[in-house]
């Protein structure tokens, strides 16, 4: 893919066969800054890491913080975003430990590339790796791709629920769409 579009599109056969045997094509959006100056990126999305530093400083161990020991409470906001000419209502979070909390600037460029090349995806089962808000999967479904799977990182043991899966489903419903299947994955670091 042209570097301007900051996305990755590859045949699933290039991946290990485990759990991917039913997937034809995988897409993933890069979090690179390279597309921040593109004409189709809204001004409020031209930053590289839309996160809140408050999430890094959750409740301390002594329980003396101002919120009574409850720790950081994530904030959500909903806005109307236009991606590749399609309008969506998207709820974003102030913070997520893997920065999967918001629509990244590169999403706008990759969405335009996907729209221009939608024929590559028609009739295929498409897995979006790192769906975050689910906006690219919603766009694909709006453009006629019927078999889409969202995915993102699994919650850690100390997280109460899968906030990403829940938020993706919320965003689909907010736009009058039925949420597709969702897969979780974990990072494995080998040193």
């Amino acid at each position: 893919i042209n570097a301007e579009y900051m996305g990755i599109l590859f045949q699933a056969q290039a991946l290990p066969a485990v759990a991917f045997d039913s997937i034809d094509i995988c897409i993933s959006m890069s979090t690179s800054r390279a597309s921040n100056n593109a004409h189709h990126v809204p001004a409020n999305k031209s930053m590289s890491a839309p996160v809140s530093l408050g999430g890094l400083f959750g409740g301390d161990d002594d329980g003396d913080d101002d919120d009574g020991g409850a720790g950081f409470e994530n904030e959500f906001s909903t806005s109307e975003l236009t991606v590749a000419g399609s309008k969506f209502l998207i709820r974003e979070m102030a913070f997520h430990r893997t920065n999967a909390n918001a629509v990244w600037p590169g999403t706008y460029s990759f969405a335009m590339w996907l729209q221009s090349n939608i024929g590559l995806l028609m009739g295929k089962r498409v897995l979006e790796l790192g769906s975050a808000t689910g906006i690219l999967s919603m766009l694909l479904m709006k453009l006629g791709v019927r078999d889409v799977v969202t995915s993102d990182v699994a919650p850690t043991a100390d997280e109460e629920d899968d906030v990403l899966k829940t938020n993706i489903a919320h965003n689909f419903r907010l736009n009058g769409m039925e949420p597709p299947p969702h897969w979780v994955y974990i990072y494995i670091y080998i040193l």
Side-chain angles (χ1 to χ4, degrees), residues 30 54 75 94 161:
S30 169
E75 295 178 4
D161 66 357

Side-chain angles (χ1 to χ4, degrees), residues 18 54 89 122-123 138 162 178 187:
V18 178
L89 292 173
M122 291 301 199
M138 284 188 277
D162 189 341
E178 187 64 29
Y187 292 111

Side-chain angles (χ1 to χ4, degrees), residues 187-191:
Y187 292 111
I188 299 175
Y189 296 100
I190 300 174
L191 301 175

Side-chain angles (χ1 to χ4, degrees), residues 6-180:
M6 304 317 302
I8 302 168
L9 175 77
F10 51 92
Q11 296 291 325
Q13 290 81 2
L15 299 170
V18 178
F20 289 103
D21 58 351
S22 65
I23 298 295
D24 298 311
I25 294 179
C26 296
I27 64 169
S28 183
M29 201 290 301
S30 169
T31 57
S32 172
R33 298 172 151 205
S35 64
N36 284 356
N37 295 324
H39 68 279
H40 44 270
V41 178
N44 67 335
K45 292 293 178 183
S46 62
M47 57 192 137
S48 67
V51 299
S52 165
L53 294 179
L56 299 175
F57 308 104
D60 57 24
D61 293 338
D62 64 12
D64 289 337
D65 49 356
D66 294 336
D67 63 3
F72 173 75
E73 183 160 333
N74 212 346
E75 295 178 4
F76 294 87
S77 65
T78 301
S79 56
E80 183 178 275
L81 301 177
T82 301
V83 176
S86 294
K87 292 182 188 258
F88 296 98
L89 292 173
I90 298 295
R91 183 175 73 173
E92 299 175 293
M93 296 175 263
F95 174 79
H96 188 268
R97 64 185 164 79
T98 64
N99 290 336
N101 55 308
V103 176
W104 284 75
T107 302
Y108 297 89
S109 297
F110 191 39
M112 290 186 70
W113 187 90
L114 288 169
Q115 181 183 43
S116 297
N117 295 277
I118 197 66
L120 295 172
L121 305 177
M122 291 301 199
K124 306 286 186 189
R125 186 160 203 213
V126 179
L127 170 66
E128 182 187 3
L129 294 173
S131 301
T133 64
I135 196 167
L136 282 178
S137 290
M138 284 188 277
L139 175 68
L140 291 180
M141 291 175 76
K142 191 170 186 177
L143 293 173
V145 178
R146 296 289 168 236
D147 200 357
V148 176
V149 177
T150 60
S151 70
D152 219 306
V153 65
T156 62
D158 58 338
E159 292 175 320
E160 289 184 24
D161 66 357
D162 189 341
V163 68
L164 296 177
K165 177 182 178 181
T166 301
N167 196 51
I168 290 168
H170 175 85
N171 282 333
F172 270 85
R173 289 186 186 104
L174 196 59
N175 289 279
M177 303 170 82
E178 187 64 29

